[in-house]
Amino acid sequence: MLLAIDVGNTNSVIALYDKGEPAAQWRASTSTTRTADEYAVWLSQLMEFVGYGLGDIKECIISTVVPQSLFHLRNLSRRYFNCEPFVIGHDNIPGVEVRITKPSEAGADRLVNAVGAFTAHGGPLVVVDSGTATNFDIVGADGGFEGGVIAPGINLSMQALHEAAARLPRIAIEKPEKIIGTDTVGAMQTGVFWGYISLIEGLLARIKAEYPTPMKVVATGGIASLFEGQTDAIDIFDHDLTIRGLFEISKRLKAK
């Protein structure tokens, strides 16, 4: 069995594959202080619900944008799975050429998304990943990573608005009934919800205008589901993109 771990700045997703087929998937808040033993206790209880145990895991692959968590996850794999985990880097993904000025700056999450999107949807395409940041990642016709755009995520923008303006409350993200707000919360909801969609639509239009060939747009990330059906700028919503990318990389490594 393979355990695939994707650690983001806000949330982490852990997926279990049994003989190449998805068996279970869990999401938890990212913690840089959670130890290997704490991970093991948490994971063993979740695996028990689906009929597995820690001893069933023979492989582990990790993608993380939080370096502080890597020490504990390595120990988890070594101590409880008896294997050395494969950690995604800019220079160790088979079949992916990183075509940016400084390849070492390409985040593991962006590269894994590129693999997952290309495997399922081909290329060229743009991956819009809505999380702590909003990434627009360009994937070439051959699956290469060609750069992109990084913008603040919607939760980050909303938090900054609340913290920087003394009279603006913290609000939930939801679609407002109308564009022009007649109270503070309604005005903020329009600015956050439709402002974010406008950001996506505007940047995608500029990316497509600059790119030499037509592109598909695939959306993923923890926030993406809020915007399904609200914009025509996104062609496909794929919520398992990152985990699929990790599994595909594992397959490529075995083939190699």
Side-chain angles (χ1 to χ4, degrees), residues 128 193-194 197-198 200-202 204-205 208 215-219 227-237:
V128 182
F193 186 89
W194 289 113
I197 288 179
S198 296
I200 291 174
E201 292 174 338
L204 286 174
K208 289 183 175 182
M215 314 171 76
K216 287 178 286 190
V217 179
V218 181
F227 307 107
E228 289 195 55
Q230 305 302 321
T231 176
D232 295 328
I234 296 172
D235 301 309
I236 303 164
F237 285 86

Side-chain angles (χ1 to χ4, degrees), residues 35-249:
T35 67
D37 297 328
E38 289 172 328
Y39 271 114
V41 171
W42 174 78
L43 187 58
S44 64
Q45 292 176 335
L46 290 173
M47 290 182 66
E48 187 177 345
F49 289 135
V50 291
Y52 296 105
L54 295 180
D56 296 321
I57 299 172
K58 304 303 179 186
E59 302 172 73
C60 182
I61 185 168
I62 300 170
S63 167
T64 179
V65 295
V66 184
Q68 302 94 315
S69 68
L70 188 54
F71 173 80
H72 301 297
L73 291 172
R74 284 187 190 274
N75 282 342
L76 171 71
S77 184
R78 292 165 177 168
R79 190 178 303 165
Y80 290 95
F81 312 147
N82 196 30
C83 69
E84 186 68 25
F86 182 85
V87 181
I88 300 295
H90 72 278
D91 57 353
N92 64 0
I93 303 176
V96 177
E97 184 179 349
V98 182
R99 303 187 188 109
I100 61 175
T101 306
K102 296 180 180 179
S104 61
E105 293 182 355
D109 56 337
R110 302 175 72 189
L111 298 177
V112 171
N113 281 345
V115 173
F118 182 76
T119 299
H121 310 293
L125 53 79
V126 186
V127 179
V128 182
D129 185 0
S130 302
T132 305
T134 304
N135 297 331
F136 299 75
D137 298 322
I138 314 304
V139 184
D142 63 349
F145 179 78
E146 299 183 351
V149 177
I150 301 175
I154 188 170
N155 281 317
L156 194 61
S157 299
M158 188 170 62
Q159 179 182 344
L161 191 63
H162 166 68
E163 292 179 352
R167 298 188 64 183
L168 295 183
R170 186 182 298 275
I171 63 170
I173 303 170
E174 58 183 60
K175 179 183 176 181
E177 295 182 359
K178 55 184 180 178
I179 295 295
I180 301 174
T182 53
D183 57 22
T184 299
V185 171
M188 291 177 67
Q189 285 178 337
T190 292
V192 170
F193 186 89
W194 289 113
Y196 187 78
I197 288 179
S198 296
L199 178 144
I200 291 174
E201 292 174 338
L203 282 173
L204 286 174
R206 291 179 180 273
I207 289 169
K208 289 183 175 182
E210 184 174 288
Y211 201 78
T213 57
M215 314 171 76
K216 287 178 286 190
V217 179
V218 181
T220 193
I223 307 297
S225 60
L226 288 171
F227 307 107
E228 289 195 55
Q230 305 302 321
T231 176
D232 295 328
I234 296 172
D235 301 309
I236 303 164
F237 285 86
D238 189 338
H239 303 291
D240 295 323
L241 195 70
T242 309
I243 289 299
R244 186 189 304 111
L246 282 172
F247 178 63
E248 173 63 21
I249 292 169

